[in-house]
Amino acid sequence: MTLNDYLILSAIIFAIGLVGVIRRKNLLMLFFSTEIMLNAVNIGLVAVSKFHQDLTGQMFAFFIIAIAASEVAVGLGLLILWYKRRGDINLDTLQSMKG
Amino acid sequence: MFEIVAFYLFAFLTIGMLGITVFTNNALYALSSLAAGMIFISAFFFLLDADFLGVVQIVVYTGAVMALYAFGMMFFDSMSEVKEKIANPRLKFVLSGMIALLVVIIFVAPLIGADAQKGLYPVHPEYGNVQDVGVVLFTKYLIPFEVAAVMLLVSMIGGIILASKKMDTNLSELSEEEIDALQEENTAKGSK
């Protein structure tokens, strides 16, 4: 297995997440797609770390996991608040101003 | 040989699971297939000799993040499908074009900064991965580690405060009339 195989896999998974972010209108699905993209980047970083024999990639993957965890906590709190107020998590109804 | 078989097996499984997550309309299917995909992704970390990160991936993603999503989905009407109407295909076209441009810039960037790839913290094979990660994390990356800890604390408090508003009214302790009054109040507030 070479570095390129892992990077191609990482790019494919990132593209899946990107397609999700572009085409989904359900806010919960947007969160899932963001998780997928963060994980794709993690795979790429760890692969580079392994094939360059350098720990920096793993360090960055570690911090990305921490950021993803805190993003989920705050984002899900906001989402629950929004759902209690509107009863809907559709991206199209997120706007409250007419224009 | 073992690595090649494992790589392709887990690659197809991961892509399949994450594809289900992105393309399904059912939120519960999306949640469970995302959890499965996260576990399969940790297999790549084990294949790449990053044992510590693989364990962290399983513990954090399927243990904490997925549990958080599962609890969060109890607040939503998760079985109802969100009607997703694509109103503006031109917007998608512009977004895709801009992302393609961004990808080109990313691929050109290493040609400009080619000498930036130097070994900063080389791997010590005699240490083992966990000890190696610990040494680097608690010496060179101590400040970012502490900042990440503060960030997690802040997000935990923020999540609790955001999600726990109006949790003082417990529906199971109220009578039917009180629940009806509360719901009418909520709908009146929502339509305003």
Side-chain angles (χ1 to χ4, degrees):
Chain A
M1 288 284 104
T2 60
L3 178 58
N4 275 346
D5 294 334
Y6 284 98
L7 289 183
I8 289 169
L9 175 75
S10 168
I12 291 172
I13 295 176
F14 191 86
I16 291 174
L18 205 58
V19 167
V21 168
I22 291 178
R23 82 176 267 279
R24 297 315 295 259
K25 288 292 177 67
N26 189 338
L27 271 174
L28 204 60
M29 296 296 176
L30 282 183
F31 274 98
F32 289 169
S33 306
T34 327
E35 298 291 326
I36 293 172
M37 285 160 71
L38 287 167
N39 268 285
V41 172
N42 274 351
I43 292 177
L45 283 172
V46 175
V48 169
S49 154
K50 153 95 175 173
F51 288 98
H52 285 213
Q53 289 294 309
D54 188 294
L55 276 176
T56 315
Q58 289 184 35
M59 291 297 125
F60 272 82
F62 190 72
F63 288 117
I64 286 176
I65 287 180
I67 287 173
S70 55
E71 170 247 328
V72 168
V74 175
L76 211 59
L78 285 170
L79 208 56
I80 288 170
L81 205 63
W82 183 259
Y83 187 79
K84 277 181 185 167
R85 195 167 285 186
R86 287 296 186 86
D88 197 2
I89 46 172
N90 194 337
L91 193 60
D92 287 329
T93 61
L94 196 63
Q95 54 184 359
S96 56
M97 287 194 284
K98 302 268 185 271
Chain B
M1 181 62 200
F2 168 73
E3 198 194 352
I4 294 171
V5 171
F7 177 82
Y8 281 107
L9 176 68
F10 283 112
F12 283 117
L13 280 173
T14 309
I15 291 172
M17 284 298 162
L18 299 182
I20 292 173
T21 305
V22 169
F23 291 111
T24 185
N25 278 326
N26 190 326
L28 279 177
Y29 290 171
L31 181 80
S32 22
S33 64
L34 183 64
M38 293 301 170
I39 290 184
F40 292 143
I41 281 176
S42 81
F44 294 115
F45 293 158
F46 288 117
L47 279 179
L48 289 166
D49 293 336
D51 303 348
F52 183 67
L53 210 59
V55 173
V56 165
Q57 170 87 7
I58 292 178
V59 169
V60 171
Y61 270 106
T62 49
V65 171
M66 287 304 139
L68 201 61
Y69 274 130
F71 275 112
M73 275 171 65
M74 292 175 193
F75 287 94
F76 306 127
D77 188 8
S78 57
M79 293 311 284
S80 75
E81 293 177 3
V82 174
K83 282 188 286 295
E84 303 183 354
K85 68 172 190 349
I86 310 295
N88 196 353
R90 188 173 292 170
L91 177 69
K92 223 194 290 183
F93 185 72
V94 171
L95 278 177
S96 310
M98 283 174 62
I99 288 164
L101 186 70
L102 208 63
V103 169
V104 170
I105 292 173
I106 289 169
F107 274 107
V108 170
L111 301 179
I112 299 166
D115 57 341
Q117 302 168 352
K118 284 178 192 162
L120 291 174
Y121 306 114
V123 174
H124 304 97
E126 70 273 17
Y127 279 7
N129 179 256
V130 177
Q131 194 179 352
D132 225 358
V133 166
V135 166
V136 176
L137 191 62
F138 288 110
T139 53
K140 311 287 184 188
Y141 286 91
L142 185 60
I143 302 284
F145 180 78
E146 298 288 343
V147 171
V150 172
M151 182 186 69
L152 282 169
L153 180 68
V154 167
S155 70
M156 184 182 79
I157 296 172
I160 290 170
I161 289 176
L162 283 172
S164 69
K165 275 182 182 166
K166 293 187 194 157
M167 266 189 184
D168 49 341
T169 54
N170 190 349
L171 288 182
S172 58
E173 290 176 357
L174 298 177
S175 65
E176 287 292 327
E177 292 79 20
E178 282 171 323
I179 291 173
D180 287 341
L182 203 66
Q183 276 176 344
E184 271 173 32
E185 190 186 331
N186 280 343
T187 48
K189 216 177 283 175
S191 62
K192 193 163 56 182

